[in-house]
Amino acid sequence: MAIGEYTESTDSKLISEEDSIYTKILNDIARGKLVSGDRLVTTQLAKQYNTSINPVREALKQLQGEGFVTVLANSGSRVTKFEFHTMRDVFEILALLEPYLMEWFINEHTDEQLDTLKIILKQMTDLSPSDFVRYRELDAEFHASMYSHHYNKRAYGMWCKNRLMLQAFHANLGFSVRRFEQSLVEHQDLLTGIENRNVDAVMTTLNKHIDNSGQYWSKHFQ
């Protein structure tokens, strides 16, 4: 595959392309159209998504089971309020899963998969810090395009769920220029290490990438 010809596959997306009410609501949460604490009224959502009430109820029930929606007595359904301890737990889970998923990719990746990473990183580089929503989508695609090839689909599924929670929390949190530039360097270092199949270098960069993201999130959350 030549550089510039990348077409995103469904497998490398955190949210499938399936045109269901569930995916529409989840997309709106991940992109910050529905934010933490927002009330989710079934009649309003049904009108918004041009559907009946039952599919909305089923979608909210599924999202509740996955931790994206909270149902409280006398309050109805709301987008989950992602508190500090929740996001701390998410970061710790990702810090455990990513090295496991990454190590396999370093050793097993193909040239075509490497070209995919180069294209995504080029798209990230072409953005500005103000394009933080699109940057985070591409960031997620960058990692998903590696981890989705892992044989352990349960581990990959767990990563997707927690990454989506992270993305939902970060949806309206902008980048400083410094963090934006730092993140790009970290991704380039990951790509270089993967291309050289240098496990130690990639793991060092990945741990730094996770730590820096966690520190930036924690500072702004508090």
Side-chain angles (χ1 to χ4, degrees):
M1 178 176 61
I3 299 297
E5 295 180 354
Y6 168 61
T7 301
E8 184 180 56
S9 68
T10 302
D11 287 344
S12 67
K13 285 187 173 183
L14 295 186
I15 305 175
S16 73
E17 292 179 329
E18 179 186 352
D19 189 26
S20 67
I21 301 304
Y22 165 82
T23 58
K24 287 178 179 178
I25 297 174
L26 186 53
N27 261 309
D28 283 347
I29 292 173
R31 292 172 179 168
K33 293 180 180 179
L34 294 169
V35 300
S36 177
D38 274 0
R39 192 177 176 200
L40 301 169
V41 181
T42 53
T43 53
Q44 292 177 355
L45 292 173
K47 183 177 180 180
Q48 178 180 337
Y49 299 123
N50 193 28
T51 188
S52 60
I53 290 176
N54 282 340
V56 173
R57 285 177 176 163
E58 291 173 5
L60 293 179
K61 186 175 180 179
Q62 183 176 349
L63 290 164
Q64 180 187 6
E66 295 175 353
F68 293 98
V69 168
T70 301
V71 179
L72 300 173
N74 303 319
S75 182
S77 299
R78 293 183 182 272
V79 178
T80 295
K81 209 164 185 180
F82 298 113
E83 299 178 351
F84 182 87
H85 65 86
T86 304
M87 300 314 301
R88 176 205 60 205
D89 293 351
V90 166
F91 264 104
E92 289 182 358
I93 291 169
L94 291 174
L96 291 170
L97 285 173
E98 296 216 17
Y100 167 71
L101 296 169
M102 178 70 86
E103 185 172 1
W104 187 90
F105 184 80
I106 297 167
N107 293 315
E108 303 295 335
H109 73 269
T110 65
D111 289 343
E112 183 177 18
Q113 291 162 357
L114 191 66
D115 284 344
T116 295
L117 291 178
K118 291 178 180 178
I119 294 166
I120 297 173
L121 182 56
K122 175 62 168 58
Q123 293 172 344
M124 293 167 70
T125 304
D126 288 343
L127 297 175
S128 70
S130 62
D131 297 319
F132 56 88
V133 173
R134 180 56 182 154
Y135 184 89
R136 288 199 175 98
E137 290 175 349
L138 288 171
D139 185 357
E141 288 170 24
F142 183 91
H143 290 269
S145 70
M146 296 183 285
Y147 305 157
S148 62
H149 298 290
H150 201 285
Y151 64 86
N152 190 333
K153 299 306 179 186
R154 289 177 182 272
Y156 173 61
M158 186 180 296
W159 177 84
C160 285
K161 176 186 173 182
N162 283 276
R163 180 63 193 239
L164 269 172
M165 284 189 174
L166 191 64
Q167 198 162 317
F169 177 81
H170 277 163
N172 294 310
L173 175 63
F175 272 122
S176 68
V177 174
R178 180 179 178 277
R179 178 56 197 150
F180 177 77
E181 293 173 347
Q182 185 184 52
S183 178
L184 285 175
V185 170
E186 289 163 2
H187 283 86
Q188 181 58 64
D189 288 346
L190 285 173
L191 183 58
T192 300
I194 292 166
E195 190 167 17
N196 294 328
R197 298 187 189 271
N198 188 332
V199 175
D200 289 341
V202 173
M203 291 305 175
T204 297
T205 300
L206 181 62
N207 288 330
K208 181 172 70 174
H209 179 55
I210 294 170
D211 286 345
N212 287 340
S213 295
Q215 289 172 18
Y216 188 76
W217 160 78
S218 181
K219 180 179 70 176
H220 284 271
F221 185 88
Q222 292 176 342

